[in-house]
Amino acid sequence: MTPSPTQAVAEQLREAFEAKDLALLGPLLDPKVRWGGPEETEQTCHSRGDVLAWYGRARAAGMSAQVTETVVLDSAVVLALAMSGPALGPNAKRPDTVFQVFHLAGGLVVDIRGFQHRRQAVAFAEKPLHARG
């Protein structure tokens, strides 16, 4: 049976994270992908290049993520990521596990948000893109 488009992207995201290969991640991202919280901050990414640069800096600093779970919904993928390495970011804290929500449109990731709890991530992933804060 042929996987759904969302399932195919989920498998490719998992492969990119497991291989730690930004060349595999880049083609999955919309050129105008947004990654960040509801508010705009200095850390909010607004493009494929921003996201790839962030992951590149994190990898260069010794941070890594291992996929421990994948949840596939109609138009979103949630990856549970076991984190290791140094903490990065403005508050210099890193949880042991993060849940990244990758919302899709047109077969590409257009929005990425992070959560510390699976329940929150899945609830957010179930919301239509226009209803997201």
Side-chain angles (χ1 to χ4, degrees):
M1 183 156 95
T2 304
S4 72
T6 305
Q7 180 66 43
V9 171
E11 291 171 10
Q12 292 170 316
L13 283 168
R14 185 178 191 103
E15 180 182 341
F17 276 92
E18 288 178 353
K20 298 174 178 50
D21 190 343
L22 296 178
L24 295 175
L25 182 61
L28 304 175
L29 304 175
D30 185 87
K32 295 181 180 179
V33 63
R34 184 188 184 282
W35 183 19
E39 293 84 30
E40 291 295 317
T41 69
E42 286 183 20
Q43 292 77 33
T44 303
C45 296
H46 292 282
S47 70
R48 177 187 297 143
D50 288 351
V51 171
L52 294 175
W54 191 97
Y55 279 121
R57 287 190 303 274
R59 181 163 302 123
M63 184 183 285
S64 67
Q66 178 182 0
V67 178
T68 60
E69 181 185 12
T70 305
V71 178
V72 179
L73 302 167
D74 288 338
S75 62
V77 175
V78 179
L79 295 182
L81 302 170
M83 305 301 295
S84 61
L88 300 177
N91 60 3
K93 294 180 183 177
R94 178 191 49 73
D96 293 332
T97 301
V98 296
F99 297 86
Q100 292 286 316
V101 177
F102 298 85
H103 191 270
L104 310 177
L108 296 174
V109 176
V110 296
D111 186 73
I112 306 169
R113 304 285 175 103
F115 296 87
Q116 291 188 9
H117 303 284
R118 182 186 190 280
R119 177 182 39 80
Q120 293 171 319
V122 171
F124 187 80
E126 291 173 337
K127 292 181 185 178
L129 185 58
H130 69 276
R132 295 174 177 223

